[in-house]
Amino acid sequence: MMIQTAPNKPSWPRAIGIGIAVSVLTAIVMVTLLKTGVSPFPKPPSLAFAETLLGRTLPMPVGLLFHTVYVTFWSVVFVRYFPRKTLLTALGLAAVLWVVILVVFFPVVGWGLAGLAIGPQLIPASALPHLLFGLLLWGLDRSFGH
């Protein structure tokens, strides 16, 4: 008699570790672009969201904490629950999250639909970190075995 078992899900520590790594790497890129004046964002979206949510000006570490929680959450969802963890599915998740930032986050923080109250440059500028998120998520998930 053969007993069929469900495939093992990746461990919580592994999934959270990948999420934190993706969060740190994307934050380094975004903060560097902001500090060098390359980024067209008035402030990091996670900081703007935290300030809107809490109703006051906050220091950068609070924005980074919000970024870490958000990125880690979605990374854990991908690593633990996506049945097919291909490059295409990672980029698909990144694309969905990009649309969410354009139609939910940007309007909530006062930047308008797709960030158009700031300018159309926020559309491609917000696509790049999401592309980086998808690539890093897929690559780190593959690199750290199952």
Side-chain angles (χ1 to χ4, degrees):
M1 177 156 94
M2 205 169 163
I3 298 172
Q4 192 172 18
T5 60
N8 289 339
K9 286 185 182 177
S11 72
W12 282 102
R14 178 180 170 275
I16 292 168
I18 289 170
I20 290 171
V22 171
S23 171
V24 168
L25 293 169
T26 55
I28 288 169
V29 171
M30 294 300 294
V31 169
T32 300
L33 293 175
L34 189 71
K35 296 287 185 190
T36 58
V38 175
S39 173
F41 291 100
K43 63 178 67 175
S46 56
L47 179 60
F49 182 73
E51 289 179 345
T52 300
L53 195 63
L54 300 175
R56 60 189 179 100
T57 302
L58 297 165
M60 178 71 84
V62 175
L64 291 171
L65 179 62
F66 268 69
H67 168 83
T68 300
V69 169
Y70 180 78
V71 171
T72 301
F73 173 80
W74 285 110
S75 297
V76 167
V77 168
F78 179 83
V79 171
R80 289 211 24 110
Y81 300 107
F82 272 47
R84 294 189 57 217
K85 293 183 282 200
T86 64
L87 177 57
L88 190 59
T89 56
L91 292 175
L93 174 59
V96 167
L97 295 175
W98 175 55
V99 170
V100 169
I101 202 171
L102 293 174
V103 301
V104 177
F105 278 77
F106 285 174
V108 164
V109 301
W111 295 352
L113 183 64
L116 293 173
I118 303 298
Q121 70 276 17
L122 290 195
I123 296 169
S126 61
L128 291 173
H130 286 87
L131 175 61
L132 182 61
F133 164 81
L135 292 171
L136 287 169
L137 179 57
W138 173 76
L140 290 173
D141 182 57
R142 283 182 53 95
S143 297
F144 292 102
H146 302 327

